[in-house]
Amino acid sequence: MALSDQPADVSEFRSKWGWFVALGIALLVLGVVAAANLLVATVASVYFVGTLMIVAGVVEIVHAFGVKGWGSFFLWLLGGALYIVAGYLAFINPLLASAILTLFLAASLVASGVMRIWMGIKGRSVLNSWGWIVAAGVVTVLAGLIIAAGWPVSSLVVLGTFLAIDLIFQGATYIAFGLGLRRVS
């Protein structure tokens, strides 16, 4: 397929293939650094979540003043204030926040794994791949149970591990995407 036969977006991206590769390399390096320093990566994750909570709280408080006439001003204001307090507490005690977030992650994994298992079993009459769905659910439940079994000690490294793995996979994906764009003729 010639470059002129492709959508304009692909040709525009093709000229930037090097930027995708550079971004991929940067993310890959950050992922390796995070993997080498899991505790630091965990704290960085908590600070990121804390920052998002503070920003969300400010936005919710601003929103409260925008909907004063709705009769729920104080609920919006309280919700925003609680978000800000929670974000602040994440900065004050990141290890406690990581323990709470890790426990929440473990519970979420167990719950989503159970849902996958249930969906796979429920859909076995119409899905040929229902066994894969059930298997994925079992792996997700096991991951959640392993994290929960190691809690609270696991909270020192779990979030950092997830961050490192995500950065490494994102980096590899951008590198592959950029090199794929370079090969497009």
Side-chain angles (χ1 to χ4, degrees):
M1 174 184 275
L3 189 59
S4 60
D5 296 338
Q6 296 172 2
D9 294 50
V10 174
S11 62
E12 181 182 329
F13 282 145
R14 185 182 188 283
S15 66
K16 308 270 194 271
W17 72 269
W19 288 104
F20 284 101
V21 171
L23 176 61
I25 291 170
L27 290 174
L28 194 62
V29 168
L30 287 173
V32 169
V33 168
N37 302 294
L38 290 176
L39 180 60
V40 172
T42 295
V43 171
S45 299
V46 169
Y47 284 162
F48 180 72
V49 170
T51 300
L52 292 178
M53 292 179 85
I54 290 170
V55 170
V58 169
V59 169
E60 200 163 323
I61 289 172
V62 169
H63 176 70
F65 286 100
V67 296
K68 274 198 280 191
W70 289 11
S72 57
F73 167 76
F74 288 108
L75 289 176
W76 288 105
L77 190 66
L78 178 63
L82 289 174
Y83 259 122
I84 290 172
V85 168
Y88 175 74
L89 291 174
F91 278 94
I92 296 301
N93 195 341
L95 295 180
L96 176 61
S98 73
I100 293 166
L101 290 171
T102 300
L103 190 58
F104 181 73
L105 174 65
S108 297
L109 287 171
V110 170
S112 67
V114 167
M115 286 298 295
R116 285 183 188 155
I117 293 167
W118 180 75
M119 289 170 34
I121 292 170
K122 186 110 167 119
R124 71 177 177 256
S125 61
V126 292
L127 298 172
N128 291 336
S129 58
W130 72 272
W132 286 106
I133 297 170
V134 170
V138 169
V139 169
T140 304
V141 167
L142 288 175
L145 292 174
I146 289 169
I147 291 169
W151 190 83
V153 175
S154 65
S155 63
L156 297 175
V157 295
V158 167
L159 300 176
T161 301
F162 275 74
L163 176 63
I165 291 169
D166 182 60
L167 287 170
I168 290 168
F169 275 93
Q170 285 288 353
T173 300
Y174 278 120
I175 292 169
F177 183 73
L179 293 176
L181 284 175
R182 180 176 174 220
R183 286 191 285 271
V184 171
S185 56

